Amino acid sequence: MSDLQDALFRSLADPTRRAIFEHLCKSGEQTVGTLTSSAGVAQPTVSKHLAVLKQAGLVKDRPQGRQTHYSARIEALAPLTDWTREMTGFWEGRLDALENLLTRMDQ
């Protein structure tokens, strides 16, 4: 697994970060204040989670005056979808081999 995939998995492993990312995906660009009101945690905590998501490339920020607006970078999930597709192919192959073995054993 690549370092990028590791960073993506680590950043999305936390339920609060995952919820923030999902909220941004569904609702579009949001300010830290708006995210804080829906996250159920304090503003400094939301800011720390956003920093981790930004470092992983999952969100981007846009300063506007005294506020910073955050939005999801859905394309950043591509390495995870690639990994999932790879693992799906691997396990389908393994299960097909097991099915073939069991069929031969039944004969």
XYZ file of all heavy atoms in Angstrom:
835
model
N 0.848 -1.169 0.000
C 0.000 0.000 0.000
C 0.899 1.239 0.000
O 1.882 1.310 0.718
C -0.916 -0.010 1.233
C -1.932 1.092 1.226
S -3.118 1.002 2.576
C -4.033 -0.442 2.130
N 0.537 2.218 -0.793
C 1.350 3.421 -0.910
C 1.152 4.343 0.293
O 0.201 4.214 1.057
C 0.993 4.171 -2.189
O -0.281 4.799 -2.047
N 2.067 5.293 0.431
C 1.961 6.275 1.518
C 0.687 7.102 1.387
O 0.057 7.449 2.387
C 3.179 7.199 1.527
C 4.451 6.487 1.958
O 4.349 5.413 2.583
O 5.541 7.007 1.662
N 0.313 7.409 0.142
C -0.913 8.180 -0.084
C -2.139 7.399 0.380
O -3.016 7.945 1.058
C -1.047 8.547 -1.568
C -2.307 9.303 -1.977
C -2.444 10.602 -1.190
C -2.293 9.578 -3.457
N -2.185 6.115 0.046
C -3.303 5.284 0.501
C -3.318 5.189 2.021
O -4.380 5.269 2.635
C -3.219 3.888 -0.116
C -3.537 3.863 -1.592
C -3.209 2.518 -2.224
O -2.283 1.833 -1.797
N -3.951 2.159 -3.249
N -2.153 5.042 2.629
C -2.068 5.003 4.098
C -2.625 6.281 4.709
O -3.395 6.238 5.670
C -0.618 4.816 4.565
C -0.139 3.387 4.458
O -0.981 2.475 4.337
O 1.089 3.183 4.503
N -2.232 7.425 4.153
C -2.706 8.715 4.679
C -4.218 8.840 4.518
O -4.900 9.336 5.428
C -2.000 9.863 3.961
N -4.750 8.387 3.405
C -6.200 8.457 3.192
C -6.940 7.567 4.174
O -7.924 7.995 4.795
C -6.550 8.064 1.753
C -6.098 9.033 0.673
C -6.342 8.438 -0.707
C -6.785 10.368 0.804
N -6.478 6.334 4.345
C -7.126 5.425 5.290
C -7.046 5.962 6.718
O -8.027 5.931 7.453
C -6.495 4.028 5.242
C -7.084 3.136 4.190
C -6.299 2.639 3.169
C -8.418 2.779 4.233
C -6.841 1.802 2.203
C -8.974 1.948 3.269
C -8.174 1.463 2.253
N -5.864 6.449 7.111
C -5.700 6.994 8.461
C -6.623 8.183 8.699
O -7.241 8.298 9.747
C -4.247 7.409 8.701
C -3.414 6.367 9.387
C -2.089 6.927 9.902
N -1.360 7.744 8.944
C -0.552 7.272 7.996
N -0.376 5.995 7.865
N 0.073 8.078 7.182
N -6.702 9.073 7.707
C -7.515 10.274 7.910
C -9.001 9.936 7.975
O -9.747 10.564 8.730
C -7.246 11.307 6.818
O -7.623 10.816 5.564
N -9.442 8.947 7.235
C -10.860 8.573 7.239
C -11.205 7.549 8.318
O -12.376 7.229 8.502
C -11.273 8.053 5.859
C -11.256 9.107 4.755
C -11.512 8.466 3.398
C -12.258 10.219 5.034
N -10.206 7.055 9.034
C -10.471 6.073 10.094
C -11.175 6.698 11.286
O -11.928 6.023 11.990
C -9.162 5.422 10.543
N -10.969 7.980 11.503
C -11.601 8.662 12.629
C -13.051 8.998 12.268
O -13.313 9.602 11.225
C -10.835 9.949 12.933
C -11.421 10.671 14.114
O -12.373 11.457 13.921
O -10.933 10.454 15.241
N -14.009 8.608 13.104
C -15.427 8.832 12.771
C -15.801 10.311 12.635
O -16.628 10.653 11.789
C -16.199 8.187 13.918
C -15.210 7.605 14.847
C -13.839 7.865 14.341
N -15.175 11.180 13.419
C -15.492 12.608 13.314
C -14.973 13.167 11.999
O -15.681 13.903 11.303
C -14.900 13.391 14.500
O -15.405 12.833 15.716
C -15.272 14.860 14.434
N -13.743 12.806 11.631
C -13.199 13.270 10.341
C -14.024 12.741 9.190
O -14.306 13.458 8.228
C -11.744 12.832 10.188
C -10.769 13.757 10.856
C -9.354 13.519 10.383
N -8.817 12.240 10.774
C -8.187 12.009 11.914
N -8.044 12.976 12.809
N -7.706 10.823 12.175
N -14.401 11.469 9.283
C -15.217 10.871 8.221
C -16.546 11.614 8.096
O -17.008 11.909 6.998
C -15.424 9.390 8.520
C -15.791 8.575 7.326
C -15.704 7.071 7.567
N -16.298 6.606 8.801
C -15.603 6.145 9.853
N -14.293 6.098 9.812
N -16.222 5.739 10.937
N -17.151 11.953 9.230
C -18.425 12.680 9.217
C -18.250 14.071 8.617
O -19.107 14.533 7.841
C -18.993 12.775 10.623
N -17.160 14.746 8.931
C -16.900 16.070 8.367
C -16.731 15.956 6.854
O -17.307 16.738 6.086
C -15.659 16.713 9.027
C -15.974 17.084 10.477
C -15.191 17.933 8.245
C -14.753 17.496 11.291
N -15.948 14.977 6.421
C -15.740 14.781 4.980
C -17.057 14.460 4.278
O -17.364 15.029 3.228
C -14.704 13.666 4.744
C -14.430 13.418 3.293
C -13.702 14.335 2.558
C -14.909 12.278 2.663
C -13.449 14.116 1.208
C -14.661 12.055 1.326
C -13.925 12.966 0.586
N -17.856 13.570 4.857
C -19.155 13.227 4.264
C -20.062 14.450 4.194
O -20.764 14.652 3.196
C -19.825 12.115 5.071
C -19.171 10.767 4.895
C -19.752 9.705 5.820
O -20.769 9.950 6.500
O -19.167 8.608 5.876
N -20.044 15.258 5.251
C -20.868 16.471 5.268
C -20.449 17.410 4.135
O -21.304 17.975 3.442
C -20.748 17.164 6.629
C -21.606 18.369 6.762
N -22.964 18.300 6.978
C -21.310 19.690 6.692
C -23.458 19.519 7.039
N -22.462 20.381 6.866
N -19.148 17.567 3.937
C -18.668 18.415 2.853
C -19.033 17.846 1.484
O -19.363 18.592 0.562
C -17.150 18.618 2.955
C -16.677 19.511 4.093
C -15.159 19.434 4.240
C -17.129 20.944 3.871
N -18.987 16.525 1.353
C -19.367 15.894 0.087
C -20.838 16.156 -0.237
O -21.193 16.453 -1.375
C -19.125 14.389 0.139
S -17.388 13.913 0.095
N -21.680 16.051 0.769
C -23.125 16.177 0.560
C -23.590 17.629 0.484
O -24.506 17.942 -0.269
C -23.875 15.470 1.685
C -23.686 13.968 1.669
C -24.326 13.319 2.876
C -24.054 11.824 2.897
N -24.549 11.193 4.123
N -22.968 18.504 1.267
C -23.464 19.873 1.392
C -22.650 20.900 0.625
O -23.035 22.057 0.555
C -23.494 20.276 2.871
O -24.307 19.387 3.595
N -21.513 20.516 0.097
C -20.673 21.474 -0.614
C -19.844 22.302 0.345
O -19.701 21.969 1.522
N -19.312 23.384 -0.163
C -18.404 24.236 0.600
C -19.054 24.751 1.878
O -20.203 25.172 1.873
C -17.975 25.408 -0.282
C -16.902 26.260 0.314
C -16.465 27.352 -0.630
O -17.184 28.374 -0.733
O -15.408 27.186 -1.246
N -18.275 24.682 2.970
C -18.771 25.099 4.286
C -17.669 25.859 5.023
O -16.491 25.586 4.835
C -19.148 23.877 5.135
C -20.178 22.964 4.530
C -21.580 23.505 4.677
O -21.992 23.845 5.775
N -22.291 23.594 3.570
N -18.084 26.767 5.899
C -17.126 27.440 6.767
C -16.853 26.560 7.986
O -17.615 25.624 8.269
C -17.664 28.799 7.260
O -18.817 28.565 8.072
C -17.989 29.725 6.107
N -15.794 26.874 8.701
C -15.467 26.132 9.919
C -16.612 26.249 10.920
O -16.976 25.282 11.583
C -14.137 26.636 10.528
C -13.852 25.946 11.855
C -12.995 26.415 9.568
N -17.202 27.436 11.015
C -18.317 27.636 11.944
C -19.498 26.748 11.628
O -20.103 26.147 12.530
N -19.833 26.630 10.368
C -20.946 25.770 9.959
C -20.626 24.311 10.243
O -21.467 23.564 10.740
C -21.256 25.957 8.461
O -21.520 27.336 8.218
C -22.431 25.125 8.026
N -19.397 23.910 9.949
C -18.986 22.530 10.225
C -19.002 22.242 11.721
O -19.393 21.158 12.141
C -17.597 22.262 9.648
C -17.519 22.204 8.123
C -16.071 22.246 7.663
C -18.223 20.969 7.598
N -18.599 23.213 12.517
C -18.582 23.033 13.968
C -19.988 22.817 14.509
O -20.213 21.946 15.354
C -17.931 24.251 14.657
O -16.584 24.368 14.195
C -17.929 24.101 16.166
N -20.953 23.567 13.993
C -22.321 23.439 14.502
C -22.923 22.074 14.190
O -23.762 21.577 14.936
C -23.210 24.557 13.943
O -23.353 24.428 12.543
N -22.472 21.448 13.116
C -23.035 20.139 12.770
C -22.173 18.972 13.250
O -22.626 17.828 13.247
C -23.244 20.029 11.262
O -22.011 20.069 10.589
N -20.939 19.243 13.680
C -20.027 18.160 14.063
C -20.206 17.696 15.496
O -19.840 16.574 15.835
C -18.581 18.597 13.848
N -20.727 18.558 16.354
C -20.906 18.167 17.754
C -19.638 18.194 18.570
O -19.577 17.595 19.647
N -18.596 18.854 18.058
C -17.349 19.023 18.804
C -16.941 20.492 18.718
O -17.475 21.251 17.917
C -16.217 18.110 18.256
C -16.519 16.645 18.505
C -15.975 18.351 16.781
N -15.984 20.886 19.527
C -15.547 22.275 19.595
C -14.819 22.698 18.313
O -14.243 21.869 17.599
C -14.641 22.473 20.801
N -14.812 23.996 18.064
C -14.183 24.542 16.858
C -12.708 24.167 16.733
O -12.276 23.787 15.640
C -14.385 26.066 16.803
C -13.841 26.734 15.557
C -12.374 27.100 15.664
O -11.900 27.510 16.723
N -11.647 26.914 14.587
N -11.904 24.236 17.807
C -10.498 23.829 17.645
C -10.356 22.369 17.205
O -9.467 22.029 16.427
C -9.889 24.048 19.035
C -10.761 25.071 19.678
C -12.140 24.786 19.153
N -11.259 21.523 17.664
C -11.234 20.109 17.273
C -11.563 19.968 15.796
O -10.901 19.214 15.067
C -12.217 19.297 18.138
O -11.883 19.489 19.509
C -12.173 17.825 17.793
N -12.585 20.693 15.338
C -12.945 20.654 13.910
C -11.764 21.146 13.074
O -11.429 20.544 12.046
C -14.216 21.490 13.634
C -14.455 21.650 12.142
C -15.421 20.846 14.293
N -11.119 22.211 13.507
C -9.970 22.749 12.765
C -8.837 21.729 12.676
O -8.202 21.594 11.626
C -9.476 24.032 13.420
O -10.444 25.054 13.282
N -8.586 21.007 13.766
C -7.549 19.971 13.738
C -7.915 18.849 12.769
O -7.072 18.359 12.021
C -7.309 19.407 15.142
C -6.579 20.364 16.045
C -6.397 19.775 17.434
C -5.745 20.798 18.357
N -5.580 20.276 19.718
N -9.187 18.440 12.784
C -9.630 17.398 11.854
C -9.520 17.877 10.410
O -9.108 17.114 9.529
C -11.064 16.979 12.165
C -11.193 16.108 13.380
N -10.483 14.943 13.545
C -11.966 16.231 14.482
C -10.800 14.381 14.706
N -11.702 15.153 15.297
N -9.872 19.119 10.166
C -9.760 19.670 8.810
C -8.298 19.711 8.356
O -8.004 19.447 7.184
C -10.383 21.062 8.748
C -11.905 21.090 8.754
C -12.408 22.510 9.017
C -12.480 20.539 7.458
N -7.386 20.004 9.273
C -5.964 20.015 8.924
C -5.494 18.630 8.493
O -4.740 18.494 7.519
C -5.139 20.518 10.102
N -5.956 17.594 9.188
C -5.586 16.217 8.823
C -6.175 15.868 7.457
O -5.492 15.293 6.598
C -6.052 15.212 9.902
C -5.850 13.776 9.443
C -5.325 15.464 11.213
N -7.446 16.220 7.244
C -8.092 15.950 5.953
C -7.398 16.709 4.825
O -7.218 16.179 3.723
C -9.575 16.321 6.011
C -10.446 15.423 6.885
C -11.816 16.058 7.104
C -10.581 14.035 6.275
N -6.998 17.937 5.097
C -6.303 18.738 4.083
C -4.941 18.132 3.762
O -4.556 18.040 2.598
C -6.150 20.179 4.566
C -5.519 21.084 3.531
C -5.418 22.510 4.022
C -4.656 23.350 3.009
N -4.398 24.692 3.495
N -4.226 17.693 4.786
C -2.914 17.081 4.576
C -3.030 15.813 3.728
O -2.154 15.520 2.922
C -2.257 16.770 5.915
C -0.839 16.262 5.786
C -0.186 16.055 7.138
O -0.851 15.982 8.164
N 1.118 15.942 7.151
N -4.120 15.081 3.894
C -4.349 13.866 3.108
C -4.872 14.184 1.710
O -5.035 13.285 0.894
C -5.324 12.951 3.831
N -5.147 15.469 1.450
C -5.638 15.869 0.131
C -7.134 15.713 -0.045
O -7.641 15.838 -1.156
N -7.852 15.430 1.039
C -9.291 15.180 0.937
C -10.136 16.455 0.953
O -11.288 16.425 0.532
C -9.746 14.250 2.062
C -9.251 12.817 1.911
C -9.435 12.054 3.208
C -9.981 12.128 0.770
N -9.588 17.541 1.467
C -10.307 18.813 1.452
C -9.371 19.913 0.967
O -8.145 19.790 1.036
C -10.892 19.203 2.836
C -11.887 18.173 3.329
C -9.811 19.441 3.852
N -9.966 20.970 0.467
C -9.205 22.166 0.120
C -9.858 23.339 0.819
O -11.050 23.304 1.147
C -9.139 22.376 -1.386
C -10.473 22.578 -2.059
C -10.302 22.723 -3.550
C -11.680 22.817 -4.213
N -11.562 22.934 -5.645
N -9.053 24.351 1.081
C -9.590 25.522 1.767
C -9.505 26.741 0.861
O -8.705 26.798 -0.067
C -8.874 25.766 3.094
C -7.382 26.011 2.931
O -6.848 25.824 1.828
O -6.747 26.386 3.921
N -10.388 27.699 1.168
C -10.440 28.946 0.423
C -10.689 30.069 1.412
O -11.801 30.228 1.914
C -11.561 28.890 -0.626
C -11.679 30.151 -1.472
C -12.817 30.036 -2.472
N -14.111 29.884 -1.862
C -14.856 30.881 -1.369
N -14.417 32.122 -1.400
N -16.049 30.640 -0.845
N -9.631 30.826 1.731
C -9.825 31.937 2.653
C -10.672 33.030 1.995
O -10.520 33.315 0.814
C -8.411 32.456 2.921
C -7.484 31.437 2.372
C -8.237 30.667 1.354
N -11.562 33.596 2.777
C -12.372 34.724 2.318
C -12.589 35.642 3.516
O -13.390 35.325 4.412
C -13.709 34.263 1.745
C -14.542 35.397 1.176
C -15.838 34.895 0.578
O -16.271 33.766 0.825
N -16.467 35.745 -0.209
N -11.862 36.731 3.526
C -11.929 37.628 4.674
C -11.426 36.933 5.924
O -10.357 36.341 5.942
N -12.241 36.971 6.971
C -11.859 36.344 8.244
C -12.263 34.875 8.316
O -11.990 34.208 9.302
C -12.498 37.105 9.403
C -11.909 38.500 9.552
C -12.561 39.299 10.618
N -12.887 38.498 11.790
C -13.308 38.977 12.929
N -13.494 40.258 13.063
N -13.595 38.183 13.942
N -12.949 34.394 7.309
C -13.414 33.007 7.341
C -12.668 32.165 6.310
O -12.183 32.682 5.304
C -14.905 32.937 7.052
C -15.758 33.563 8.121
C -17.226 33.323 7.859
O -17.664 33.255 6.714
N -17.993 33.176 8.926
N -12.609 30.882 6.599
C -12.051 29.927 5.656
C -13.150 28.957 5.273
O -13.840 28.419 6.128
C -10.861 29.162 6.276
O -9.878 30.118 6.700
C -10.236 28.211 5.278
N -13.305 28.774 3.982
C -14.311 27.856 3.447
C -13.604 26.569 3.028
O -12.550 26.607 2.395
C -15.011 28.477 2.244
C -15.749 29.736 2.577
N -17.106 29.770 2.730
C -15.317 31.002 2.800
C -17.483 31.000 3.028
N -16.401 31.770 3.074
N -14.203 25.448 3.380
C -13.638 24.138 3.044
C -14.578 23.398 2.102
O -15.796 23.504 2.214
C -13.425 23.298 4.311
C -12.260 23.771 5.128
C -12.411 24.773 6.080
C -10.993 23.233 4.931
C -11.333 25.228 6.820
C -9.910 23.680 5.671
C -10.083 24.675 6.605
O -9.018 25.114 7.330
N -13.975 22.650 1.200
C -14.765 21.803 0.311
C -14.051 20.466 0.131
O -12.828 20.369 0.274
C -14.986 22.481 -1.049
O -13.757 22.817 -1.646
N -14.843 19.442 -0.161
C -14.300 18.089 -0.337
C -13.638 17.973 -1.704
O -14.076 18.571 -2.681
C -15.417 17.063 -0.209
N -12.584 17.202 -1.758
C -11.921 16.848 -3.013
C -12.206 15.363 -3.257
O -11.415 14.500 -2.892
C -10.422 17.102 -2.920
C -10.050 18.572 -2.777
C -8.548 18.796 -2.880
N -8.061 18.383 -4.196
C -7.251 17.352 -4.404
N -6.818 16.622 -3.402
N -6.860 17.033 -5.627
N -13.339 15.101 -3.862
C -13.785 13.723 -4.052
C -12.791 12.939 -4.906
O -12.580 11.739 -4.694
C -15.204 13.707 -4.639
C -16.160 14.349 -3.639
C -15.649 12.292 -4.989
C -17.544 14.590 -4.153
N -12.143 13.609 -5.846
C -11.169 12.924 -6.704
C -9.998 12.360 -5.905
O -9.307 11.446 -6.364
C -10.666 13.861 -7.813
C -9.834 15.030 -7.331
C -10.626 16.258 -6.903
O -11.870 16.197 -6.794
O -9.981 17.299 -6.649
N -9.787 12.870 -4.692
C -8.704 12.366 -3.847
C -8.967 10.941 -3.365
O -8.063 10.279 -2.862
C -8.496 13.293 -2.650
N -10.206 10.477 -3.509
C -10.538 9.105 -3.118
C -10.114 8.073 -4.166
O -10.208 6.869 -3.915
C -12.039 8.972 -2.860
C -12.582 9.736 -1.657
C -14.098 9.639 -1.618
C -11.980 9.214 -0.372
N -9.635 8.505 -5.314
C -9.268 7.587 -6.401
C -8.302 6.480 -5.960
O -8.516 5.314 -6.309
C -8.711 8.360 -7.590
N -7.256 6.778 -5.187
C -6.377 5.678 -4.760
C -7.104 4.628 -3.917
O -6.777 3.442 -3.978
C -5.288 6.376 -3.937
C -5.279 7.780 -4.432
C -6.709 8.076 -4.790
N -8.090 5.047 -3.150
C -8.839 4.082 -2.343
C -9.764 3.238 -3.212
O -9.906 2.039 -2.975
C -9.647 4.796 -1.263
C -8.833 5.548 -0.220
C -9.749 6.127 0.849
C -7.792 4.668 0.410
N -10.381 3.854 -4.203
C -11.235 3.064 -5.095
C -10.394 2.094 -5.920
O -10.816 0.966 -6.163
C -12.099 3.957 -6.004
O -11.268 4.828 -6.748
C -13.095 4.767 -5.208
N -9.184 2.527 -6.309
C -8.281 1.625 -7.030
C -7.906 0.432 -6.152
O -7.914 -0.712 -6.605
C -7.009 2.357 -7.475
C -7.276 3.422 -8.518
O -8.367 3.412 -9.134
O -6.396 4.282 -8.708
N -7.573 0.706 -4.894
C -7.200 -0.360 -3.969
C -8.380 -1.311 -3.738
O -8.205 -2.535 -3.731
C -6.735 0.236 -2.646
C -6.328 -0.796 -1.637
C -5.123 -1.410 -1.526
C -7.153 -1.335 -0.601
N -5.143 -2.301 -0.478
C -6.377 -2.271 0.106
C -8.465 -1.115 -0.205
C -6.876 -2.993 1.182
C -8.962 -1.834 0.873
C -8.171 -2.752 1.555
N -9.565 -0.743 -3.571
C -10.759 -1.567 -3.356
C -11.016 -2.464 -4.567
O -11.325 -3.650 -4.419
C -11.983 -0.678 -3.077
O -11.697 0.156 -1.951
C -13.221 -1.497 -2.801
N -10.874 -1.908 -5.756
C -11.062 -2.687 -6.989
C -10.034 -3.811 -7.069
O -10.357 -4.960 -7.413
C -10.951 -1.769 -8.197
C -11.432 -2.372 -9.484
C -11.491 -1.358 -10.617
N -12.115 -0.136 -10.104
C -11.608 1.093 -10.254
N -10.533 1.299 -10.905
N -12.192 2.148 -9.743
N -8.789 -3.505 -6.710
C -7.725 -4.514 -6.721
C -8.029 -5.642 -5.735
O -7.894 -6.824 -6.055
C -6.399 -3.846 -6.380
C -5.213 -4.767 -6.402
C -3.941 -4.033 -6.004
O -3.761 -2.873 -6.407
O -3.136 -4.638 -5.276
N -8.445 -5.286 -4.531
C -8.757 -6.281 -3.516
C -9.990 -7.100 -3.901
O -10.045 -8.300 -3.635
C -8.976 -5.617 -2.155
C -7.723 -5.070 -1.514
S -6.537 -6.372 -1.049
C -5.418 -6.378 -2.422
N -10.960 -6.459 -4.543
C -12.141 -7.182 -4.999
C -11.741 -8.252 -6.005
O -12.170 -9.404 -5.909
C -13.167 -6.213 -5.625
O -13.577 -5.271 -4.628
C -14.383 -6.950 -6.160
N -10.887 -7.875 -6.953
C -10.405 -8.847 -7.942
C -9.638 -9.977 -7.297
O -9.805 -11.152 -7.657
N -8.793 -9.644 -6.327
C -8.019 -10.666 -5.628
C -8.947 -11.671 -4.937
O -8.800 -12.885 -5.097
C -7.090 -10.003 -4.599
C -6.449 -10.984 -3.663
C -5.361 -11.741 -4.068
C -6.938 -11.153 -2.372
C -4.767 -12.643 -3.198
C -6.354 -12.050 -1.501
C -5.267 -12.799 -1.914
N -9.912 -11.162 -4.159
C -10.781 -12.060 -3.398
C -11.748 -12.818 -4.293
O -12.079 -13.974 -4.014
C -11.516 -11.299 -2.287
C -10.573 -11.043 -1.154
C -10.046 -9.847 -0.787
C -9.988 -12.021 -0.291
N -9.178 -10.014 0.263
C -9.126 -11.338 0.593
C -10.106 -13.403 -0.173
C -8.393 -11.997 1.575
C -9.375 -14.054 0.814
C -8.531 -13.357 1.666
N -12.186 -12.218 -5.372
C -13.033 -12.960 -6.308
C -12.257 -14.131 -6.897
O -12.788 -15.235 -7.035
C -13.558 -12.042 -7.406
C -14.674 -11.132 -6.938
C -15.108 -10.129 -7.995
O -14.430 -9.986 -9.038
O -16.150 -9.484 -7.765
N -10.995 -13.899 -7.223
C -10.147 -14.973 -7.741
C -9.942 -16.082 -6.721
O -10.001 -17.274 -7.047
N -9.710 -15.695 -5.486
C -9.518 -16.694 -4.423
C -10.791 -17.507 -4.185
O -10.747 -18.715 -3.989
C -9.082 -16.020 -3.120
C -7.787 -15.236 -3.193
C -6.612 -16.127 -3.297
N -6.470 -16.855 -2.043
C -5.391 -17.478 -1.654
N -4.331 -17.457 -2.413
N -5.355 -18.130 -0.522
N -11.927 -16.822 -4.161
C -13.195 -17.524 -3.941
C -13.543 -18.429 -5.117
O -14.077 -19.527 -4.920
C -14.315 -16.528 -3.662
C -14.194 -15.797 -2.316
C -15.240 -14.691 -2.222
C -14.311 -16.754 -1.152
N -13.228 -17.993 -6.337
C -13.442 -18.854 -7.505
C -12.577 -20.108 -7.414
O -13.035 -21.222 -7.704
C -13.128 -18.104 -8.805
C -14.165 -17.052 -9.155
O -15.273 -17.083 -8.561
O -13.872 -16.197 -10.011
N -11.321 -19.947 -6.983
C -10.431 -21.102 -6.829
C -10.955 -22.044 -5.757
O -10.921 -23.279 -5.926
C -9.023 -20.635 -6.481
N -11.473 -21.507 -4.672
C -12.049 -22.338 -3.613
C -13.274 -23.089 -4.131
O -13.435 -24.284 -3.863
C -12.421 -21.482 -2.403
C -13.104 -22.217 -1.246
C -12.206 -23.312 -0.689
C -13.490 -21.220 -0.160
N -14.114 -22.390 -4.870
C -15.309 -23.041 -5.431
C -14.913 -24.174 -6.376
O -15.499 -25.266 -6.327
C -16.156 -22.005 -6.177
C -17.438 -22.585 -6.747
C -18.271 -21.535 -7.465
O -17.757 -20.443 -7.773
O -19.446 -21.833 -7.724
N -13.883 -23.960 -7.200
C -13.408 -24.997 -8.109
C -12.876 -26.199 -7.320
O -13.139 -27.356 -7.664
C -12.329 -24.462 -9.046
C -12.888 -23.515 -10.079
O -14.081 -23.534 -10.385
N -12.017 -22.665 -10.612
N -12.136 -25.930 -6.252
C -11.610 -26.998 -5.428
C -12.739 -27.806 -4.792
O -12.721 -29.036 -4.813
C -10.694 -26.444 -4.345
C -10.165 -27.431 -3.321
C -9.251 -28.456 -3.986
C -9.459 -26.713 -2.192
N -13.709 -27.121 -4.243
C -14.835 -27.825 -3.607
C -15.634 -28.622 -4.628
O -16.100 -29.726 -4.318
C -15.738 -26.813 -2.889
C -15.093 -26.129 -1.671
C -16.012 -25.043 -1.136
C -14.743 -27.126 -0.592
N -15.790 -28.082 -5.823
C -16.498 -28.820 -6.875
C -15.747 -30.096 -7.241
O -16.347 -31.170 -7.383
C -16.677 -27.932 -8.111
O -17.409 -26.771 -7.748
C -17.405 -28.661 -9.231
N -14.423 -29.996 -7.361
C -13.617 -31.179 -7.688
C -13.673 -32.201 -6.551
O -13.692 -33.402 -6.786
C -12.167 -30.777 -7.952
C -11.964 -30.109 -9.297
C -10.501 -30.020 -9.714
N -9.576 -29.670 -8.639
C -9.138 -28.439 -8.381
N -9.543 -27.426 -9.112
N -8.303 -28.221 -7.383
N -13.710 -31.719 -5.309
C -13.769 -32.624 -4.174
C -15.119 -33.367 -4.106
O -15.170 -34.502 -3.632
C -13.526 -31.863 -2.859
C -12.096 -31.394 -2.708
S -11.849 -30.349 -1.259
C -12.147 -31.510 0.059
N -16.183 -32.728 -4.557
C -17.513 -33.339 -4.542
C -17.658 -34.419 -5.612
O -18.541 -35.271 -5.513
C -18.596 -32.296 -4.736
C -18.865 -31.498 -3.476
O -18.453 -31.953 -2.383
O -19.484 -30.424 -3.564
N -16.822 -34.395 -6.619
C -16.992 -35.351 -7.724
C -16.419 -36.690 -7.413
O -15.702 -37.122 -6.740
C -16.356 -34.804 -8.992
C -17.081 -33.580 -9.475
C -16.393 -32.962 -10.693
O -15.326 -33.341 -11.101
N -17.062 -31.979 -11.266
